[in-house]
Amino acid sequence: MKVKQLKLGPMDNFSYLVWDEDTKDAAVLDPAWQPEKLLAAVKSEGLKLHCVLLTHGHPDHINAVEAVSVAPGLPVYLHEADYFMLEHRPAGLKTVADGEQVQAGSLKLGVLHTPGHTPGSVCYTAPGAVFTGDTLFIGECGRVDLPGSSPEALYDSFVRLAALPDDAAVYPGHSYNGDTSTIGVQKEYNLYLKLARQGRRADFLKAVL
Ligand SMILES: [Fe+2]
């Protein structure tokens, strides 16, 4: 599997292209801000895009969905608990649920429902990687003071993330404090993941608020 991280737009958002190196079957995660840059990368790498995967429904992660999905008629995956924040539903919208595998041609990504930042936040997993959206940043966690946010749910989600393999690369939804890390390193140096790993719920809730 190969990953291309693209930092786009005024809020240091990351969009990702993920693909199977043998077949070039690919998915695009959180297409936003500068679809021309994403599409140029698809072309230069010779990728076959199969679907759009959304980590959550905030506009800064989805505002280029239709620019990449409509013409080729791609399915657009978003957990339905975030549908309420869509101004309108893009064509091809499909829900994802915890534990599902999303197929992008020969590429398969797992779905981990990780509510907290938003009720429908998900992380996508692949061998050796996890795409964490606005749930887990390098050294930080996502905001929980927004409509639909829940600090308690974020704690449970962090407990789940702390159980992922230490060598899994972390690919966050924004370039805050860094661009990538591993679950093992974040378990040591990310206060929130450390508290979740240690089962310190009360301290976690105090720290996020
Ligand atoms: Fe967000």
Side-chain angles (χ1 to χ4, degrees), residues 56-61 117-118 121 133-134 137 146 174:
H56 64 299
H58 282 154
D60 59 312
H61 293 258
H117 176 65
T118 66
S121 283
D134 284 2
F137 298 121
L146 303 166
H174 288 266

Side-chain angles (χ1 to χ4, degrees), residues 141-190:
C141 69
R143 286 176 62 176
V144 286
D145 58 343
L146 303 166
S149 290
S150 162
E152 293 81 8
L154 191 73
Y155 173 76
D156 292 339
S157 296
F158 267 56
V159 169
R160 299 189 75 192
L161 289 174
L164 292 174
D166 281 352
D167 61 357
V170 173
Y171 294 107
H174 288 266
S175 174
Y176 298 157
N177 309 311
D179 295 350
T180 185
S181 180
T182 63
I183 288 290
V185 168
Q186 290 302 298
K187 269 160 64 173
E188 291 304 317
Y189 298 106
N190 181 309

Side-chain angles (χ1 to χ4, degrees), residues 16-140:
Y16 293 94
L17 292 166
V18 188
W19 68 93
D20 178 328
E21 282 177 271
D22 295 329
T23 62
K24 303 277 186 180
D25 287 340
V28 56
L29 266 86
D30 288 356
W33 301 110
Q34 290 160 290
E36 68 286 354
K37 291 202 172 167
L38 281 166
L39 294 170
V42 167
K43 202 171 171 190
S44 68
E45 299 285 354
L47 306 181
K48 289 173 266 180
L49 264 190
H50 287 270
C51 61
V52 175
L53 301 175
L54 302 177
T55 59
H56 64 299
H58 282 154
D60 59 312
H61 293 258
I62 70 170
N63 62 27
V65 163
E66 287 175 310
V68 302
S69 69
V70 170
L74 302 181
V76 176
Y77 293 101
L78 172 69
H79 193 288
E80 63 185 355
D82 271 11
Y83 284 11
F84 77 96
M85 58 182 73
L86 299 177
E87 268 177 37
H88 69 279
R89 296 185 180 193
L93 183 65
K94 288 180 175 18
T95 190
V96 283
D98 188 62
E100 273 182 10
Q101 298 263 348
V102 179
Q103 196 95 28
S106 61
L107 182 75
K108 251 192 226 165
L109 291 124
V111 178
L112 201 59
H113 184 207
T114 51
H117 176 65
T118 66
S121 283
V122 301
C123 296
Y124 294 98
T125 59
V130 56
F131 298 88
T132 56
D134 284 2
T135 297
L136 171 68
F137 298 121
I138 308 310
E140 264 295 341

